[in-house]
Amino acid sequence: FSNSFSFHMGRSTHSLNFVLVWEEPLGAPKEESSTGSVTHRKWRDTFMSRLQASGLLIEKVMEQQKTRLHFVLLSAPWSVLCYYAEEISLRAPLQVHEHNHANLNWSERLLQRLSIPNLLSHEVPLAPPDYYTCQFRANKLERFLGSHDRDSFFKPTQRHQVLYEILSRTAYGSVKTGQVGIDRLINDNVFTAAFPLHQPASGTPAEGPTLRQVLFSHWAAWGCWRKYQPLDHIREYFGEKIALYFAWLGFYTGWLLPAAAMGVLVFFIGIWLMETDVPAREVCDSGGSFVMCPLCDVCPDWNYSSICLAYKTGLLFDNGGTVFLSVFLSLWAVTFLEYWKRTSSALTHRWDCSSFQDIEERPRPEFTAMAPMTTRNPVTGAEEPYFPQTKRLKRVLTGCSVLLIMIAVVLIFLTAIILYRSIITVVIYKSTTGLISNSARRIASLSGSVLNLVVIMILSKVYTMLAQILTRWEMHRTQSQYEDMFILKVFIFQFVNFYSSPVYIAFFKGRFVGVPGNYNTLFGIRNEDVMWCRGCLIELAQELLVIMVGKQIINNIQEFVIPKLKTWWQRRGLRVNQDEEKKQEVSPWERDYQLLVCEGLFDEYLEWVLLQFGFITVFVAACPLAPFFALVNNWVEIRLDAHKFVAEYRRPVAERAQDIGIWLQIMQLISHIAVIANALLIAFTSSFLPRAYYKFTRDSSLRGFTNFTLATSPEFYNKHPNITCRYLSMKDTNGDYLPEYFQLLAVRLAFVLAFEHVVFTVGRLIDVLVPDVSEDVQIKIKREHYMAKEALAENQVKTRADESPSGDGPRSQNVQSLLELQLFLSSPCGFLRSYVDTAED
């Protein structure tokens, strides 16, 4: 086997493109006896035999270590590259684009207009050249720039794409049972890994720095924290999909600056109000004036003044500035998304991905191999794999049923946590005394938030695995369709999973308690009550901070601590000892194998979009400092993510992308939800409207506002004739709502309608006034199409001029006829255009 599947790398002119790996225990015999091992060996032999039949060059290398590592080095010769480059619609250069693209950084353009030195910009070596490009055609090879140099004509990322396409569509067993592709082999432990090689991490000065070294020193280094990201370099090394992720993350982080500044300003307004607010002084100075009804069945009466510090702390989150901040963040989200569309269109044009999904995207290799039938494409006329839409619809509906079941599970757990807080409060009051007993509600609330976070994380892992299985089963044709459906499933579930508890605290907690002596119950347990205001924002802020901070801590452990431990353990298992490692030179493929597997960008986008972008827009009224914390976190995370991709992850296969996918639509949906949520928060959760109503109808100085918000317990509840207690409500002594309650309810509903109409109207105007594609980019697109057409037309004229009748006579005419027939069969429209152009000339 080793002799038949090998070539001498030192003598080959082809560069190494891909590496396959499998492991065997060092003490295992060469002739495996177990059925599983024999089957795996048979599958590997079949798979690599078919890889060789497809034209790939293969060399098998074995490294003797604690485990017997087998490396299969793959390389694609020129003929295979040309065939598959046309098959998967790769683009090739026609001409160098001499015109410099306008800078995409809004801050740099602003500083240039103001003639201010820009400390964020820096020169990055090995800048990739920009080309006019078109889809590669093997029969028009001479028309492409650099076609004479076969070793460098295709970029490394394009070679990786070709190899991965072959690996993904090659069968190793029965196609009907899905025994196709390298991904399935890795899942079945037939192979341990498959990856393209990184460029060297270090090189001699004579050779110059590699692109990987440039990225490490000018992007991933901590000293670059205040520099622009070299997006063209990232795209050249990792592909468009990863480059668009970092472009979006940098753009989003820059736009967080005004949001963070506004949030900090509102927070300082809250600090000032802590000492000047009249209702806060009334609460703190009330002494025993307001004796409050018990908060649970075994709890004693308590004085309202005991919550003085908590009431003042609530002013940090609940003040008049939060109304302005909510409006500002709602418009900020709409404007941010509109300007990201403009930036994204400019980037995708620069990187030749503008029409990728509409024209060039190929069927998924797994879909190609497992589709039960084929059908004729109405556009190209070619036979393509096909899966009936009715069968897919049934499978999608099945996936929706599973989603609804999991959402019901989330709501069940939420109910259980609500009951837990009520029960643990009673238990602490009964079993303890002193400070612990007085803090029973705070202990129950905080422990309930932590327990909720644990449940959220467990359910997230379970449903993500289910969503992967269901989406694969649905048989989506393209990778974009597959990813969009997977992301949509997970987003809907995770939205309910993460937001159910904050929504309950903001809009439901303490609103269905009843009146003293006639409390409402849930499964026989009294409903949760609140201490200082109905659904007060301070409790919501606590829940948000526990989820956000807790999730960030868990993510940091998962992303940085655990990978380093895994890397250390893997290297420890691959080498006998450090002395042997120093003596033995490690091969590039073995060094890359010791790195971690890049598991894609799904978890990264989910964290930024659902958890961070959602929380700072939907619940910004509860936590004005959330944008500031997000800004600081993102500034650090960009460098950490960059370091992971450059130094800690195996090099991923480059993927093309037109934009950030369905995540843009999800953010647009969140921005609309944020408008409604902020309107409801201010109207029904914040004390802003009750204060405004009292100021305009009773006392402009807000004196007596505290008494206005408290109701007196009914007579049948009082233990003694002359002793009453107070509770948060606007009811009379009979438990009926006062007229002021309905007047305030009308004010609240009017505010919600006015808020969302104004914000949605202004947002729509921003959408209309800011086009998705800027005028400069539209001109560049037209210019590129014109230049590409001119280049091809010039080449066609030149080719025909060189073919004089004095050549080979009839043989030359026959060759020309065959070429024209081939052109017509491959592209009828292109043949007709060239024929008309020739006739006009």
Side-chain angles (χ1 to χ4, degrees):
F1 178 87
S2 178
N3 293 331
S4 60
F5 290 97
S6 65
F7 66 96
H8 297 288
M9 295 292 293
R11 300 178 184 178
S12 174
T13 59
H14 304 287
S15 59
L16 176 63
N17 303 134
F18 230 89
V19 179
L20 305 181
V21 189
W22 80 88
E23 296 183 12
E24 295 175 358
L26 189 57
K30 294 183 179 181
E31 298 295 333
E32 299 93 344
S33 57
S34 64
T35 304
S37 300
V38 172
T39 303
H40 286 183
R41 184 177 60 181
K42 178 181 177 182
W43 284 347
R44 279 194 297 266
D45 291 349
T46 303
F47 186 70
M48 288 190 283
S49 297
R50 292 180 177 178
L51 289 180
Q52 190 185 37
S54 66
L56 298 186
L57 303 177
I58 302 176
E59 179 182 11
K60 181 183 174 186
V61 179
M62 187 173 68
E63 303 286 349
Q64 292 290 344
Q65 299 152 351
K66 281 189 175 181
T67 58
R68 191 158 49 209
L69 283 177
H70 299 265
F71 292 93
V72 178
L73 314 180
L74 304 178
S75 179
W78 173 254
S79 57
V80 173
L81 288 173
C82 290
Y83 175 82
Y84 279 96
E86 187 170 349
E87 182 76 8
I88 64 177
S89 301
L90 293 182
R91 300 182 71 89
L94 290 171
Q95 178 182 338
V96 176
H97 192 176
E98 300 294 345
H99 175 68
N100 293 324
H101 288 280
N103 199 293
L104 298 176
N105 297 305
W106 60 270
S107 57
E108 186 161 359
R109 294 196 299 267
L110 178 62
L111 293 175
Q112 285 178 351
R113 292 176 183 176
L114 299 176
S115 300
I116 299 175
N118 190 357
L119 300 179
L120 300 178
S121 63
H122 64 306
E123 294 293 332
V124 183
L126 298 182
D130 190 21
Y131 299 101
Y132 292 109
T133 64
C134 70
Q135 292 187 25
F136 178 77
R137 291 291 180 266
N139 59 349
K140 302 177 182 178
L141 179 63
E142 71 281 356
R143 301 176 187 174
F144 293 102
L145 187 66
S147 58
H148 61 281
D149 187 359
R150 296 186 174 186
D151 291 335
S152 62
F153 179 74
F154 291 107
K155 298 185 296 185
T157 51
Q158 292 178 323
R159 293 172 177 265
H160 300 162
Q161 290 173 324
V162 168
L163 264 294
Y164 186 73
E165 180 74 16
I166 298 173
L167 291 171
S168 298
R169 66 166 61 177
T170 301
Y172 59 89
S174 174
V175 175
K176 294 182 179 180
T177 59
Q179 293 179 336
V180 179
I182 187 62
D183 292 335
R184 180 73 180 271
L185 287 169
I186 293 176
N187 290 335
D188 294 338
N189 295 321
V190 180
F191 286 97
T192 309
F195 53 89
L197 281 180
H198 270 298
Q199 291 181 354
S202 59
T204 61
E207 297 173 350
T210 63
L211 186 56
R212 185 187 183 191
Q213 291 173 304
V214 170
L215 289 174
F216 188 85
S217 59
H218 291 80
W219 178 47
W222 284 105
C224 300
W225 66 272
R226 59 181 180 86
K227 301 295 185 181
Y228 293 127
Q229 298 183 92
L231 296 178
D232 289 329
H233 296 71
I234 300 171
R235 177 249 181 173
E236 188 75 10
Y237 193 76
F238 291 109
E240 291 80 9
K241 190 171 186 177
I242 292 177
L244 277 172
Y245 162 73
F246 282 103
W248 174 83
L249 184 55
F251 187 83
Y252 167 57
T253 302
W255 271 74
L256 279 175
L257 283 168
M262 199 59 60
V264 171
L265 177 62
V266 171
F267 182 78
F268 281 115
I269 292 175
I271 294 178
W272 175 72
L273 288 174
M274 287 178 67
E275 300 300 328
T276 61
D277 187 64
V278 173
R281 288 203 301 266
E282 287 184 348
V283 172
C284 295
D285 299 338
S286 62
S289 301
F290 300 116
V291 178
M292 306 298 293
C293 298
L295 295 173
C296 66
D297 292 336
V298 299
C299 302
D301 296 342
W302 54 286
N303 292 326
Y304 205 36
S305 60
S306 63
I307 64 167
C308 173
L309 180 61
Y311 193 97
K312 285 186 175 182
T313 305
L315 295 175
L316 296 175
F317 309 98
D318 186 2
N319 57 71
T322 57
V323 180
F324 172 76
L325 183 63
S326 298
V327 176
F328 177 83
L329 261 295
S330 298
L331 298 178
W332 170 89
V334 175
T335 310
F336 158 70
L337 293 176
E338 290 303 316
Y339 275 93
W340 164 249
K341 291 178 186 177
R342 291 168 61 91
T343 303
S344 177
S345 65
L347 286 173
T348 52
H349 166 68
R350 177 192 291 191
W351 296 339
D352 302 315
C353 296
S354 299
S355 58
F356 167 65
Q357 290 182 343
D358 300 329
I359 300 176
E360 303 176 27
E361 191 169 16
R362 302 278 304 169
R364 296 172 58 235
E366 188 176 359
F367 175 85
T368 302
M370 298 180 62
M373 62 185 70
T374 60
T375 186
R376 186 175 298 277
N377 189 312
V379 178
T380 63
E383 288 289 331
E384 291 186 352
Y386 176 75
F387 188 81
Q389 189 67 25
T390 54
K391 289 185 177 180
R392 180 180 294 116
L393 180 60
K394 293 179 181 178
R395 296 186 178 188
V396 170
L397 294 177
T398 303
C400 293
S401 302
V402 175
L403 174 61
L404 293 176
I405 293 173
M406 290 298 297
I407 290 176
V409 172
V410 171
L411 299 180
I412 291 172
F413 274 104
L414 175 63
T415 306
I417 291 172
I418 294 171
L419 294 175
Y420 161 82
R421 284 197 291 255
S422 299
I423 294 172
I424 202 68
T425 301
V426 175
V427 170
I428 293 176
Y429 264 118
K430 284 185 175 181
S431 59
T432 60
T433 58
L435 181 61
I436 297 178
S437 177
N438 295 333
S439 304
R441 290 184 58 82
R442 293 186 179 90
I443 295 173
S445 177
L446 185 59
S447 61
S449 298
V450 175
L451 181 61
N452 181 54
L453 176 61
V454 174
V455 171
I456 285 174
M457 298 299 295
I458 294 174
L459 292 178
S460 298
K461 294 293 183 183
V462 172
Y463 184 74
T464 300
M465 291 188 293
L466 285 175
Q468 288 177 337
I469 296 172
L470 290 171
T471 310
R472 191 180 302 114
W473 180 58
E474 290 170 2
M475 290 290 292
H476 296 283
R477 179 178 179 273
T478 65
Q479 185 66 23
S480 296
Q481 294 171 349
Y482 172 85
E483 291 180 356
D484 289 350
M485 287 302 298
F486 172 69
I487 292 170
L488 184 61
K489 287 188 182 69
V490 177
F491 166 74
I492 294 174
F493 172 78
Q494 296 286 45
F495 188 87
V496 177
N497 194 22
F498 278 99
Y499 287 74
S500 57
S501 181
V503 167
Y504 163 75
I505 292 174
F507 303 115
F508 298 99
K509 184 177 180 180
R511 300 184 186 276
F512 306 98
V513 178
V515 297
N518 188 23
Y519 289 111
N520 299 323
T521 60
L522 178 64
F523 299 111
I525 299 175
R526 177 179 160 181
N527 288 346
E528 283 188 297
D529 204 347
V530 292
M531 296 184 68
W532 44 82
C533 57
R534 293 293 180 212
C536 192
L537 295 183
I538 189 172
E539 290 194 37
L540 178 58
Q542 172 191 299
E543 187 74 10
L544 296 178
L545 290 175
V546 169
I547 294 177
M548 289 184 65
V549 175
K551 186 69 165 61
Q552 290 290 344
I553 292 174
I554 294 174
N555 284 344
N556 289 338
I557 293 175
Q558 291 178 339
E559 294 181 8
F560 309 116
V561 178
I562 293 179
K564 292 183 183 301
L565 292 176
K566 286 183 178 180
T567 303
W568 172 80
W569 183 259
Q570 186 167 344
R571 290 177 177 175
R572 180 179 179 272
L574 291 176
R575 288 293 176 188
V576 177
N577 52 54
Q578 296 294 330
D579 295 335
E580 181 180 345
E581 184 175 359
K582 293 178 181 178
K583 295 178 182 178
Q584 182 178 351
E585 183 179 355
V586 181
S587 59
W589 42 87
E590 184 181 359
R591 187 182 300 110
D592 283 6
Y593 179 64
Q594 295 174 359
L595 301 176
L596 300 176
V597 179
C598 177
E599 298 180 352
L601 299 171
F602 170 76
D603 290 334
E604 308 292 341
Y605 274 120
L606 188 66
E607 177 185 352
W608 303 127
V609 174
L610 181 66
L611 189 62
Q612 191 182 101
F613 181 80
F615 276 10
I616 69 174
T617 54
V618 176
F619 296 113
V620 69
C623 192
L625 286 180
F628 174 75
F629 292 142
L631 173 64
V632 175
N633 178 77
N634 290 8
W635 226 316
V636 175
E637 286 274 355
I638 288 178
R639 304 305 158 187
L640 292 175
D641 285 350
H643 185 269
K644 286 190 301 182
F645 275 94
V646 174
E648 296 183 6
Y649 283 164
R650 295 171 190 164
R651 188 174 185 178
V653 179
E655 297 183 58
R656 303 193 71 196
Q658 190 176 18
D659 48 33
I660 61 175
I662 199 174
W663 293 111
L664 178 60
Q665 286 74 32
I666 289 175
M667 286 190 289
Q668 290 175 326
L669 175 63
I670 290 176
S671 67
H672 285 78
I673 294 175
V675 175
I676 300 173
N678 282 301
L680 295 175
L681 276 174
I682 296 170
F684 292 96
T685 305
S686 171
S687 62
F688 172 76
L689 288 183
R691 285 170 176 254
Y693 172 81
Y694 186 84
K695 181 181 293 187
F696 286 104
T697 60
R698 300 294 180 88
D699 191 338
S700 60
S701 65
L702 291 179
R703 290 186 181 91
F705 176 75
T706 303
N707 185 66
F708 173 74
T709 60
L710 299 177
T712 304
S713 59
E715 295 180 359
F716 62 83
Y717 176 76
N718 299 333
K719 300 177 182 178
H720 302 284
N722 298 324
I723 299 178
T724 60
C725 63
R726 311 294 295 273
Y727 64 100
L728 289 168
S729 187
M730 298 180 68
K731 296 181 179 179
D732 57 21
T733 55
N734 297 322
D736 298 326
Y737 284 109
L738 296 171
E740 290 82 353
Y741 170 81
F742 296 101
Q743 294 172 9
L744 182 58
L745 179 61
V747 172
R748 284 170 165 163
L749 294 176
F751 175 84
V752 171
L753 292 175
F755 184 96
E756 58 94 7
H757 273 74
V758 170
V759 175
F760 279 137
T761 301
V762 176
R764 182 57 182 167
L765 288 176
I766 294 174
D767 188 10
V768 172
L769 295 176
V770 182
D772 294 346
V773 182
S774 65
E775 184 178 356
D776 292 340
V777 174
Q778 292 177 0
I779 294 174
K780 292 174 186 176
I781 292 174
K782 295 177 181 178
R783 175 67 177 170
E784 182 168 16
H785 288 171
Y786 172 78
M787 292 293 293
K789 181 180 179 180
E790 286 294 307
L792 291 176
E794 181 182 352
N795 286 331
Q796 290 171 357
V797 173
K798 181 179 179 181
T799 301
R800 292 181 182 273
D802 293 340
E803 294 173 354
S804 60
S806 60
D808 292 333
R811 184 171 182 269
S812 176
Q813 296 177 0
N814 292 336
V815 172
Q816 179 64 26
S817 299
L818 289 174
L819 290 174
E820 291 180 349
L821 177 61
Q822 184 179 10
L823 175 61
F824 175 77
L825 293 176
S826 61
S827 178
C829 295
F831 172 79
L832 293 175
R833 284 196 300 269
S834 64
Y835 183 82
V836 172
D837 291 341
T838 305
E840 291 177 352
D841 293 338

